[in-house]
DNA sequence: GCCCGTGATGAGGTCAGACCACTATTATAC
DNA sequence: GTATAATAGTGGTCTGACCTCATCACGGGC
């Protein structure tokens, strides 16, 4: 029989680095925000070349797990979890993501997240949400500020849902939509209505009414979508239909 | 006076590579599955060192946009879109993702996706789904094969939903759960029931009954979760029924 | 005394070229 | 004809030098 040499992927230096850092994170040695040793020293510790170490670190940086600052050092990411910033944009270019699809995904995710938040939200979440709603009413004449508090409001709901995975997915999609939103928010004439809507959502969550929260969130996002003229185009499928691609 | 070597404000080489490839993808020069030129030649074309080129390619590979095959070449990813394979696992280690959270996320996503598939699925999707259901019944005595067709079935539903963004998110979460599933599927005594369930889901989708499909999918995933003892830990009382549920 | 330029320091970024390892194909031996 | 061996092509790793950037301490000028 032909000799099978199927070695383990343990060989690749890149994965060696990734796994090492992973274990450091898992056993608590590395915490979000921590700085890792300088490349030259770290490479010596791991008994690999600096070049290989760098590919490994680059890999982690691409996934958003590490953050590199030229001239300063390399750190473990500490912000809200986000699946590779450029990832979605890249995927969009590759597989032809449409804006309406982003809205659809966001609507499904956020409406369910709102329901979860209504079930599990704690007092501090309610307080923070109330705060942001108030800020929205106060920023009625400043679209840019309004948008900031809008984002914050939604982010708090994500946290209140108690499911960080869903929160990160939303975060990724939202950040991809952010640029588009920023361009159109100026012409928004419905900030008052939007603020009211947010307040209603807040109330539904605070009063622990999951279904109401879900419904309101759905409605809210639908309005936002319409306001940007990003409705799903009529069902005229240019369907590529590659069932074989599933393989 | 040593004049300052005022080079272009070209951003980091890594991003230079990423953007270059991105533009190649956007203008259609590179299609999924295509092979990019050998590193040495490509580096010469871009007028950068091979090391820098490799950094950029590594970045794209980490995001799942490119696939590297040692000794063969580097290709544009062609399978189902997937956000960095290791990404979720890494994030889990960093932010403490729990298995029950993955199930929750998956349930929310897949039940809604099933509903969308019921609305938008086309004949070829229905056919492919029927095929997989049949394979499941045929593989009843081979857990490994059964699992494969199980995965395929769900993947076809994702495609049928007509929203590739949701499909990729699911794909990412599912692949993270795959290993855990593989370990427990052997003891599954409910493959028959599982197959029946899949058939019912298929029927709901084919008959364009979104709400029914959603409900069935929810139920199906809940069963799968229970079968693995990955229920969400109750907030208050301990669940003693879990052990019995496994059989 | 305070401010600001300037150099020293340490970190990541890039480069070049040699050499190693894997895969698939082709040539050769049997 | 088939199995083994040689080979070409491609990614993977190493070395070590040099470049760029961010920060801080020092010291002259105000």
């Amino acid at each position: 029989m032909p000799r099978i040499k199927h070695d383990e992927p343990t060989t690749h230096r890149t994965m060696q680095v990734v796994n090492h850092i992973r274990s450091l994170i898992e056993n608590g040695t590395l915490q979000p925000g921590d700085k890792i040793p300088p490349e030259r020293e770290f490479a010596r510790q791991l008994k690999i070349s600096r070049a290989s170490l760098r590919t490994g670190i680059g890999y982690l940086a691409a996934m958003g797990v590490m953050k590199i600052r030229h001239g300063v050092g390399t750190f473990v990411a500490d912000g809200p979890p986000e699946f590779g910033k450029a990832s979605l944009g890249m995927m969009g270019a590759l597989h032809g993501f449409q804006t309406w699809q982003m809205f659809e995904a966001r609507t499904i995710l956020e409406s369910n997240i709102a329901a979860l938040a209504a079930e599990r939200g704690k007092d501090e979440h309610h307080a923070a949400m109330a705060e942001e709603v108030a800020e929205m009413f106060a920023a009625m004449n400043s679209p840019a500020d309004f948008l900031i508090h809008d984002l914050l409001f939604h982010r708090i709901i994500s946290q209140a849902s108690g499911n960080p995975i869903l929160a990160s997915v939303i975060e990724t999609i939202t950040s991809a939509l952010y640029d588009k939103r920023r361009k159109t928010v100026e012409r928004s004439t419905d900030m008052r209505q939007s603020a009211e809507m947010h307040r209603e959502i807040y109330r539904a969550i605070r009063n622990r009414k999951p279904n109401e929260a879900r419904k309101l969130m759905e409605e809210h996002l639908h309005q936002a979508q319409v306001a940007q003229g990003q409705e799903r185009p009529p069902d005229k499928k240019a369907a590529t239909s590659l069932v074989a691609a599933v393989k």
Side-chain angles (χ1 to χ4, degrees), chain A residues 91-113:
Chain A
M91 291 301 213
L94 239 185
H95 299 93
F97 291 172
Q98 305 289 319
T99 304
W100 70 264
Q101 293 169 341
M102 292 197 204
F103 271 104
E104 183 173 271
R106 194 186 165 202
T107 302
I108 288 176
L109 286 162
E110 284 222 63
S111 58
N112 279 285
I113 263 202

Side-chain angles (χ1 to χ4, degrees), chain A residues 25-43:
Chain A
I25 289 176
E26 280 172 348
N27 77 14
T29 307
L30 276 180
Q31 301 254 324
D34 283 359
K35 179 172 178 287
I36 68 173
E39 294 181 349
R40 290 161 177 88
E41 182 187 333
F42 205 3

Side-chain angles (χ1 to χ4, degrees), chain A residues 27-119:
Chain A
N27 77 14
T29 307
L30 276 180
Q31 301 254 324
D34 283 359
K35 179 172 178 287
I36 68 173
E39 294 181 349
R40 290 161 177 88
E41 182 187 333
F42 205 3
R44 219 180 310 121
Q45 286 180 17
L46 297 185
K47 310 272 199 3
I48 63 177
S49 74
R50 195 182 150 214
S52 296
L53 173 67
R54 278 179 59 74
T55 58
I57 290 178
Y59 193 92
L60 292 169
M63 298 193 313
V65 176
M66 311 271 311
K67 204 170 156 192
I68 307 176
R69 295 176 56 192
H70 188 177
V72 181
T74 303
F75 306 80
V76 180
D78 58 343
E82 196 178 308
F83 295 95
K85 199 186 76 172
S87 186
L88 228 187
M90 212 66 198
M91 291 301 213
L94 239 185
H95 299 93
F97 291 172
Q98 305 289 319
T99 304
W100 70 264
Q101 293 169 341
M102 292 197 204
F103 271 104
E104 183 173 271
R106 194 186 165 202
T107 302
I108 288 176
L109 286 162
E110 284 222 63
S111 58
N112 279 285
I113 263 202
L116 289 178
E119 290 174 3

Side-chain angles (χ1 to χ4, degrees), chain A residues 105-175:
Chain A
R106 194 186 165 202
T107 302
I108 288 176
L109 286 162
E110 284 222 63
S111 58
N112 279 285
I113 263 202
L116 289 178
E119 290 174 3
R120 303 174 186 165
K122 302 205 173 56
D123 288 344
E124 61 257 37
H125 297 128
H126 299 158
M129 286 168 61
E131 168 85 10
E132 295 306 329
V133 170
E135 293 284 356
M136 269 187 259
F137 276 103
M140 207 80 78
N141 55 353
S142 167
D145 287 346
F146 187 90
L147 181 51
I148 291 176
H149 293 293
D150 187 347
L151 289 174
L152 246 37
F153 180 80
H154 286 275
R155 190 175 288 172
I156 292 167
I157 294 181
S158 294
Q159 291 186 245
S161 77
N163 191 323
I165 300 174
L166 290 170
S168 354
V169 174
I170 294 248
E171 191 70 27
T172 305
I173 294 177
T174 302
S175 75

